[in-house]
Amino acid sequence: MAVNNSSKYRRELRGATYYFCGSACQGKFAADPEHYVKPQERAPSPATLPNSASTGTIYTCPMHSQIHQPGPGHCPICGMTLEPVGATNGAAEAAELGSMTRRFLLSAALSVPLLWPMIGMMFRGLDPMTLFGERDVAWAEFALASLVVLGCGGIFFVRGWQSLVRRSLNMFSLVALGSGSAWLFSVLALIAPSVLPDSFRLPNGSPPLYFEAAAVIVTLVLLGQVLELRARSQTSGAIRSLLQLAPKIAHRLDAQNQESDVALDAVQVGDRLRVRPGEKIPVDAKVAEGSSHVDESMLTGEADPAHKNPGDDVTGGTINGFGSLMIRAEHVGADTVLSQIVHMVAEAQRSRAPVQRLADRVAAWFVPAIVGIAVLAATVWGIWGPPPALAHALLVAVSVLIIACPCALGLATPMSIMVGVGRGAREGVLIKDAAALETLERVDTLVVDKTGTLTEGKPSLQTVVALAGVTETGLLRAAAAAEASSEHPLARAIIEGAKRRGLGVLPAVLNFASDPGLGISGLVENRKVLVGNVHLLERDGMAADEQMRQAEICRTKGQTAIFVAIDGKPAGLLGVADAIKASTPAAVKALKAQGIRIIMLTGDNARTAKVVGDALGIEEVVADVLPADKAAVVKRLQGEGRIVAMAGDGVNDAPALAQAQVGIAMGTGTDAAMQSAGVTLLKGDLRGLAKAVSLSHLTMRNIRQNLFFAFAYNALGVPVAAGLLYPFFGVLLSPVIASAAMSLSSVSVIGNALRLRKAAL
């Protein structure tokens, strides 16, 4: 829908113009970002944002992701403090927390003397009414309470008024109404008590004053805000810890090999950088000179450093060993692997889980309903309550307004999602969005690719079988030359095998063509060479009977048979074996223990696939599957009512990953696979999937606990505040107690969400 740019549908927020839908959304702030936007601006990708709390940082609301604005502030819909999009150094968040903390400390200091009269009621010798007189004490209470309510708590009235103007009542609407009503009534009772009817007066004839209640309400709400801000800041710890993996500076070499230190964001593609022993590698690059061992555990989880030589790739954030390296930058800024990980985590933390729709629907009518309940309760107490009836009615209305906190309800889902996604990132499990995390809990079937997922993805050449008229050397030379332009793991194995056998420099390949699922073809020394599976040869009308017999022998050994044809005739075959990852058996066992049905789906031959399946205890194996058919297999399982997750690492897995309810990509795989997946296992280890499933169960359980707590809290608290217990026990809830309960409800939800940070996976 197009945005209506007329002034009727415009609001001014913090000096910047925003628009919202004026037709389908009935003039309300719309949930669709297309309906609620700043002209000529969209929230940029977190990966493109500066890693600082600068004025260029975009902030958004954790409950209403459609809200974006430059710089910190609060949400115009719910009033909550906005959070930065992506990662920052935390300066702005610390400033917000510091400001709110100062407000609370001043408010608490001013509110303590207001409790003196309450203490004096218990200890007559300390009663300030006796020591100074009621009138003087009342004016002192007025001065202190005014400083607290209008000064320290002024922010609540600003946000409450804005919520009324924008017709989007929220928590601050209730706080402003409750504390403001108590303060205004007390001012009126102090300055012009004669205008109040007898139903407002105590037995001694004077109207009650609620200055201490108004001040303590503000103080406790400020305390709740401080605790909430402090707890929420901990949820961004995962992103900050990722950012800390990158060094602050890089040692750049100029054309004369003179070295200078530059800021990381000043590094450009093509720059030559020096990495000294023990330093972190600044950007994704290729080694130009030197050799060393690099600790890549932050990506792979492997404790053993990887040996790097000239021509090898290195990743920003990994740690150089004892050798000195000169590297050439290939990916900088937002294009580095580390930046993309930060981007993915930040996006996922702001995404909304489907379960949040329930909370959104309730929150839409919650505050107006509470205001209605407060008015109804006050009316009942004013008509039928004991004397002073109207004074009791005011207390009940204030208590109902204060105790009903929609903030806890709104925080129930996003806080758990933020903490859960951050916890996953620390475990090497990158979750693309909250929907994937929620769906993962219901997955009952896992379809898993073999090569690169269950196995190392680094196959090695084991067997070379040449048919009559062809030598093994000639066969391997032709096949390796043809595969030189292929990125397939099996192609790498053939080329490495040729090198190990001393074949030296391979001839060039011309007219190279790749046919996914079948193999490759090309001209090598003016001879047409085909390398692939038996279907590739059959497509060109070649009979491969002898090759099939030899292939069966290879498959009984767990090897993949690769057929080779030269100039339209079968020439032989190559046997390649891919070792099972050491972590895979434990991962399969853990997933089965979680009740997940595991199916191996592979384009490899059935015999070879069965050898791997038997070794891992996977009973269901679907082999000889073309890439286009992998998605069809997933769709068939879905048609049987299964909730399917698909794990793979190659381009040929991308359609199946997209088809599955949850796609799971290996972090060691291709970009296409990771883009199609909802979950990426950064370490390329299926044990991460078992952790992801556990994390999903824990997070969804945590969300349900939070939602239950928020619903139960209001279901119990509002009737008690309205005076439900008074006819039976003579108990009437104090607004002070109501404000304490309201603040603690939000903090309790956040505290429960933070438990996920230390939950066992």
Side-chain angles (χ1 to χ4, degrees), residues 71-277:
H74 60 272
C75 176
I77 300 178
C78 66
M80 287 181 60
T81 301
L82 300 181
E83 296 181 343
V85 175
T88 71
N89 61 11
E93 298 91 312
E96 175 71 16
L97 177 58
S99 173
M100 197 64 72
T101 301
R102 289 190 293 273
R103 285 177 180 271
F104 162 69
L105 292 176
L106 179 59
S107 178
L110 295 173
S111 297
V112 167
L114 291 170
L115 302 178
W116 189 2
M118 297 176 61
I119 298 174
M121 295 175 63
M122 295 181 287
F123 303 98
R124 291 297 179 182
L126 299 176
D127 189 352
M129 302 294 185
T130 303
L131 296 174
F132 303 105
E134 291 187 12
R135 194 68 178 171
D136 291 339
V137 170
W139 280 103
E141 288 182 338
F142 164 73
L144 292 172
S146 297
L147 289 173
V148 172
V149 175
L150 302 181
C152 300
I155 186 174
F156 300 147
F157 292 94
V158 171
R159 296 183 185 183
W161 173 252
Q162 289 174 343
S163 72
L164 291 175
V165 171
R166 295 176 180 128
R167 292 175 291 173
S168 179
L169 300 182
N170 54 45
M171 163 190 171
F172 298 102
S173 312
L174 302 182
V175 173
L177 282 173
S179 60
S181 299
W183 182 82
L184 283 173
F185 172 81
S186 301
V187 171
L188 181 62
L190 175 63
I191 297 176
S194 59
V195 304
L196 297 174
D198 292 340
S199 55
F200 271 114
R201 299 178 183 276
L202 299 171
N204 63 6
S206 63
L209 300 179
Y210 300 119
F211 285 124
E212 79 285 350
V216 172
I217 286 171
V218 170
T219 301
L220 290 174
V221 174
L222 285 170
L223 174 60
Q225 290 291 293
V226 169
L227 295 176
E228 179 182 316
L229 285 170
R230 184 170 297 171
R232 282 169 54 188
S233 69
Q234 298 179 30
T235 64
S236 58
I239 293 181
R240 284 198 291 270
S241 65
L242 287 171
L243 285 175
Q244 291 169 2
L245 293 173
K248 299 294 186 294
I249 62 171
H251 312 303
R252 185 163 61 189
L253 300 173
D254 60 19
Q256 290 74 40
N257 286 329
Q258 296 297 314
E259 184 178 305
S260 61
D261 290 345
V262 298
L264 192 61
D265 56 8
V267 177
Q268 303 293 324
V269 174
D271 283 352
R272 294 184 304 140
L273 308 172
R274 177 81 65 195
V275 184
R276 300 179 182 130

Side-chain angles (χ1 to χ4, degrees), residues 461-468 470-473 475-476 501 546-551 553-554 557 559 561-564 570-575:
L461 182 64
Q462 303 291 326
T463 304
V464 178
V465 179
L467 298 183
V470 182
T471 65
E472 290 187 1
T473 300
L475 175 71
L476 182 56
R501 285 166 171 77
E546 178 60 20
Q547 285 173 302
M548 289 294 292
R549 188 181 68 80
Q550 294 293 337
I553 298 174
C554 291
K557 301 176 183 178
Q559 299 176 7
I562 301 174
F563 294 75
V564 182
L573 60 84
L574 307 173

Side-chain angles (χ1 to χ4, degrees), residues 525-546:
E525 296 178 329
N526 293 321
R527 295 186 299 170
K528 183 177 181 181
V529 179
L530 301 180
V531 184
N533 58 29
V534 68
H535 302 298
L536 180 66
L537 273 64
E538 291 174 345
R539 186 191 65 180
D540 282 16
M542 285 178 261
D545 297 340
E546 178 60 20

Side-chain angles (χ1 to χ4, degrees), residues 482-542:
E483 292 280 19
S485 297
S486 174
E487 293 296 327
H488 196 283
L490 297 182
R492 298 297 94 195
I494 295 171
I495 295 169
E496 290 297 326
K499 290 180 180 179
R500 285 198 306 271
R501 285 166 171 77
L503 295 189
V505 179
L506 299 173
V509 59
L510 302 175
N511 298 335
F512 175 84
S514 175
D515 195 337
L518 294 177
I520 59 96
S521 63
L523 287 178
V524 177
E525 296 178 329
N526 293 321
R527 295 186 299 170
K528 183 177 181 181
V529 179
L530 301 180
V531 184
N533 58 29
V534 68
H535 302 298
L536 180 66
L537 273 64
E538 291 174 345
R539 186 191 65 180
D540 282 16
M542 285 178 261

Side-chain angles (χ1 to χ4, degrees), residues 218-392:
V218 170
T219 301
L220 290 174
V221 174
L222 285 170
L223 174 60
Q225 290 291 293
V226 169
L227 295 176
E228 179 182 316
L229 285 170
R230 184 170 297 171
R232 282 169 54 188
S233 69
Q234 298 179 30
T235 64
S236 58
I239 293 181
R240 284 198 291 270
S241 65
L242 287 171
L243 285 175
Q244 291 169 2
L245 293 173
K248 299 294 186 294
I249 62 171
H251 312 303
R252 185 163 61 189
L253 300 173
D254 60 19
Q256 290 74 40
N257 286 329
Q258 296 297 314
E259 184 178 305
S260 61
D261 290 345
V262 298
L264 192 61
D265 56 8
V267 177
Q268 303 293 324
V269 174
D271 283 352
R272 294 184 304 140
L273 308 172
R274 177 81 65 195
V275 184
R276 300 179 182 130
E279 290 185 335
K280 292 180 179 178
I281 293 172
V283 296
D284 295 354
K286 192 176 291 290
V287 177
E289 296 178 12
S291 64
S292 182
H293 286 81
V294 176
D295 179 1
E296 298 181 327
S297 57
M298 73 105 171
L299 286 176
T300 65
E302 297 295 334
D304 295 334
H307 188 65
K308 299 295 182 180
N309 291 309
D312 291 338
D313 293 323
V314 289
T315 305
T318 56
I319 303 173
N320 184 28
F322 296 104
S324 179
L325 296 175
M326 196 273 279
I327 61 176
R328 191 175 300 278
E330 292 199 330
H331 300 286
V332 300
D335 295 329
T336 65
V337 170
L338 185 58
S339 293
Q340 291 174 15
I341 291 172
V342 171
H343 166 76
M344 186 179 294
V345 173
E347 284 287 321
Q349 286 188 329
R350 292 198 316 276
S351 62
R352 297 165 64 83
V355 71
Q356 192 170 342
R357 295 171 186 162
L358 173 62
D360 290 344
R361 287 196 296 267
V362 173
W365 55 261
F366 184 83
V367 175
I370 290 300
V371 173
I373 292 173
V375 172
L376 178 62
T379 302
V380 171
W381 276 87
I383 297 175
W384 291 289
L390 291 183
H392 282 129

